[in-house]
Amino acid sequence: MSVQESLRTTATESASGPARRPGLLLAFLCLAGFMTFLDVSIVNVALPTIEDELHISQTALQYVVTTYGMLLGGFLLLAGRLADTLGRRRMLQTGLVLFALSSLLAGLAQSSEMLIGARGAQGLAAAFIATAALSLLTNNFEEGPARNKALGAWGALSGVAAVAGVTLGGLLTDGPGWRWIFFINVPIGLIGALIAPMIVGESRAVERARSFDVTGAVVLTAGLILLIFTLGQTVDDSDVPVARIYGGFALAAVLLIAFLFIERRAKSPLMPLTIFRRPSLRAANIIAILLLGTCVSLFFFASLFMQQVLDYSAITTGLAYVPLALTTAVGAGIASQVVTKVAAKPVLMVGLALVATGMMLLWRAPSDASYLVDLLPAFVICGLGLGASFVPLQVSAFAGSEEHESGLAAGLINTSQEIGGALGLAVAATFAFRRIPELEAQTRGVPELVKEARTTVFHDAFLISAGFAAVALVVTLVLLPLTKAKDMPAGTPAH
């Protein structure tokens, strides 16, 4: 597409819809995204209560969490292209309504099947909301300082939501009850869908409105869902047949390879492979996989460490994360200001170095760790690092992207994050849990020895998670271009 055609497309997309106030628009879109990110982790603390009340088996309990992430990750790219094609505000409203209704269903659930099904519907709705909201954000804020600050706010809230979910989940479960974890979404989703036209103008990629790659969409979505589901199976406590895991990975690989062939031949591909010619986008998605592998592993294993080794209650564990949430917001706030003045690369490198350092401090935490001496410094450093990493990562992912590809770019970075979280947890758990039989044999049921053995397992997990952050730092140093987004015209590949 020529420069003139690109400008005409941009003008067509930007002309529709009411006048928007940037502050109100940003707050609305960030709130929508925050709600979807929050529900990734908010249910974790409530799982024991849900298990007792609904009589859910230990094997089925994991699907209350993983079904949400599986549908969210699997449908992100398809949702991004639907937003580009059918209208970004329309898809945002659709997602908000579906999220509210599925949350109501989850709150009223009387069986494991009803709850897991509702969580799947929530994940599908979250895919629509996350991609449409992020795409609208990048389309309404011009590339440069304005967009960097907006992406900074988005990155801050997405990072804080993951931590705040654990804290809020504990408070609601011990307060009005676990069902309010879901009921709280209902008025937010319905009111958001109702007022969206008053805040957000409609936009779509005009040139993509005529056709849609249905075959590619079906094959890719099936491949991603199967991949995320199979990764979740690798950390299942039940005896999942090895053949099912290997078969799942093999079939997922076949579907994803088939998708690449379909895209090369499609007249209007779901994911034009030329988008990966942008070095900034390629690097950002690789880094997102590694960073989220660290982030998800941190919350998973730190929660177990505090409850199974330090004997913290669920609510105490949730409150222990508050400093991490606050420092994540602080780190993101600082990074969102800095990236308007310097390139995203050095900011991201500092953030990743802090994350790796914090994980190494957790690796050194003893079995009788003090919160103030051993855990709090690690959480503060990790929080600052995560906040300082999320912001330049989002900026890098969208640097130079054209407006008609914003939904695709949003889908790609969110998909990388979902896959990274599932993959990172699977790798860390496999590495850490490999020694459990040997350590259990050595403890002979002695409480102190059991605590030491668990500490060893969690230390292994923290070490491998620190390794993810270190590898991400190397990838940033080697692959991420040193180009400031504000110096790069839209549609121009980074060099």
Side-chain angles (χ1 to χ4, degrees):
M1 186 168 63
S2 68
V3 174
Q4 291 80 5
E5 290 171 328
S6 177
L7 290 173
R8 283 198 298 270
T9 300
T10 300
T12 304
E13 290 180 338
S14 302
S16 62
R20 293 174 291 277
R21 289 171 287 182
L24 180 61
L25 174 66
L26 178 60
F28 178 78
L29 295 177
C30 284
L31 177 62
F34 183 83
M35 183 172 63
T36 65
F37 296 132
L38 191 74
D39 266 60
V40 174
S41 59
I42 194 172
V43 77
N44 283 283
V45 177
L47 288 177
T49 307
I50 294 172
E51 180 182 13
D52 292 339
E53 186 169 328
L54 296 186
H55 307 292
I56 300 178
S57 68
Q58 191 71 41
T59 303
L61 191 64
Q62 66 153 335
Y63 296 111
V64 176
V65 177
T66 59
T67 301
Y68 180 90
M70 185 170 60
L71 272 292
L72 170 59
F75 277 94
L76 279 167
L77 280 173
L78 174 56
R81 266 326 195 193
L82 285 172
D84 284 341
T85 304
L86 303 178
R88 295 164 185 132
R89 189 185 69 194
R90 178 183 298 175
M91 294 308 299
L92 176 62
Q93 289 178 278
T94 301
L96 288 169
V97 171
L98 179 57
F99 199 85
L101 296 179
S102 56
S103 295
L104 178 62
L105 187 64
L108 297 173
Q110 300 299 314
S111 66
S112 60
E113 293 80 8
M114 186 176 177
L115 179 58
I116 292 169
R119 287 288 285 169
Q122 275 190 310
L124 176 61
F128 292 153
I129 295 170
T131 51
L134 189 52
S135 179
L136 283 165
L137 186 150
T138 58
N139 273 285
N140 281 279
F141 291 89
E142 186 177 352
E143 187 164 18
R147 183 186 293 180
N148 291 352
K149 288 181 180 178
L151 288 173
W154 178 275
L157 286 177
S158 62
V160 170
V163 188
V166 182
T167 303
L168 184 59
L171 293 173
L172 289 174
T173 301
D174 285 354
W178 67 267
R179 295 181 185 276
W180 282 92
I181 287 173
F182 305 112
F183 288 151
I184 197 172
N185 294 322
V186 179
I188 297 174
L190 293 178
I191 293 172
L194 185 65
I195 66 174
M198 293 180 271
I199 301 173
V200 186
E202 183 61 283
S203 72
R204 61 172 56 86
V206 177
E207 65 181 46
R208 299 197 60 85
R210 302 187 190 94
S211 60
F212 195 78
D213 178 17
V214 177
T215 304
V218 171
V219 172
L220 175 64
T221 303
L224 289 174
I225 288 175
L226 183 58
L227 175 60
I228 296 170
F229 172 77
T230 307
L231 285 168
Q233 294 281 286
T234 63
V235 293
D236 187 359
D237 291 333
S238 61
D239 295 324
V240 179
V242 175
R244 183 197 297 178
I245 293 175
Y246 288 149
F249 281 131
L251 183 54
V254 169
L255 289 170
L256 294 176
I257 292 171
F259 169 74
L260 295 178
F261 281 105
I262 291 170
E263 295 308 280
R264 294 187 65 176
R265 301 171 65 91
K267 292 182 179 179
S268 183
L270 176 72
M271 185 177 72
L273 301 182
T274 54
I275 196 171
F276 291 106
R277 292 176 182 171
R278 299 193 186 107
S280 183
L281 181 140
R282 286 201 309 266
N285 280 274
I286 295 171
I287 296 163
I289 291 173
L290 293 163
L291 177 60
L292 266 292
T294 302
C295 185
V296 172
S297 298
L298 163 63
F299 297 139
F300 183 83
F301 289 106
S303 297
L304 291 177
F305 179 71
M306 287 187 283
Q307 293 183 71
Q308 295 184 0
V309 175
L310 303 181
D311 297 322
Y312 287 9
S313 66
I315 187 63
T316 303
T317 300
L319 292 174
Y321 282 121
V322 170
L324 203 161
L326 294 176
T327 52
T328 299
V330 171
I334 295 171
S336 64
Q337 296 298 317
V338 175
V339 293
T340 64
K341 301 176 177 65
V342 302
K345 181 173 181 173
V347 182
L348 181 55
M349 290 180 66
V350 171
L352 292 170
L354 288 172
V355 173
T357 301
M359 295 306 301
M360 292 301 292
L361 290 179
L362 288 175
W363 174 59
R364 301 296 298 169
S367 58
D368 59 348
S370 161
Y371 179 76
L372 292 178
V373 175
D374 300 301
L375 299 188
L376 183 59
F379 284 167
V380 168
I381 293 172
C382 277
L384 289 172
L386 289 172
S389 299
F390 283 128
V391 173
L393 185 62
Q394 296 286 345
V395 171
S396 299
F398 287 93
S401 63
E402 298 179 10
E403 285 196 59
H404 72 275
E405 292 178 333
S406 60
L408 174 59
L412 277 172
I413 193 66
N414 282 307
T415 300
S416 295
Q417 291 174 344
E418 287 298 318
I419 292 176
L423 180 60
L425 181 56
V427 172
T430 301
F431 179 78
F433 293 160
R434 78 196 190 286
R435 299 177 59 187
I436 286 181
E438 171 196 345
L439 293 171
E440 284 182 343
Q442 295 174 359
T443 61
R444 298 184 299 278
V446 179
E448 287 305 315
L449 293 178
V450 170
K451 187 171 287 191
E452 289 291 342
R454 287 175 175 171
T455 302
T456 300
V457 170
F458 298 138
H459 278 179
D460 287 348
F462 294 141
L463 181 61
I464 197 70
S465 300
F468 293 149
V471 174
L473 180 59
V474 173
V475 172
T476 304
L477 177 65
V478 175
L479 298 182
L480 189 67
L482 189 66
T483 305
K484 287 195 285 188
K486 68 178 182 179
D487 296 332
M488 193 185 323
T492 304
H495 297 291

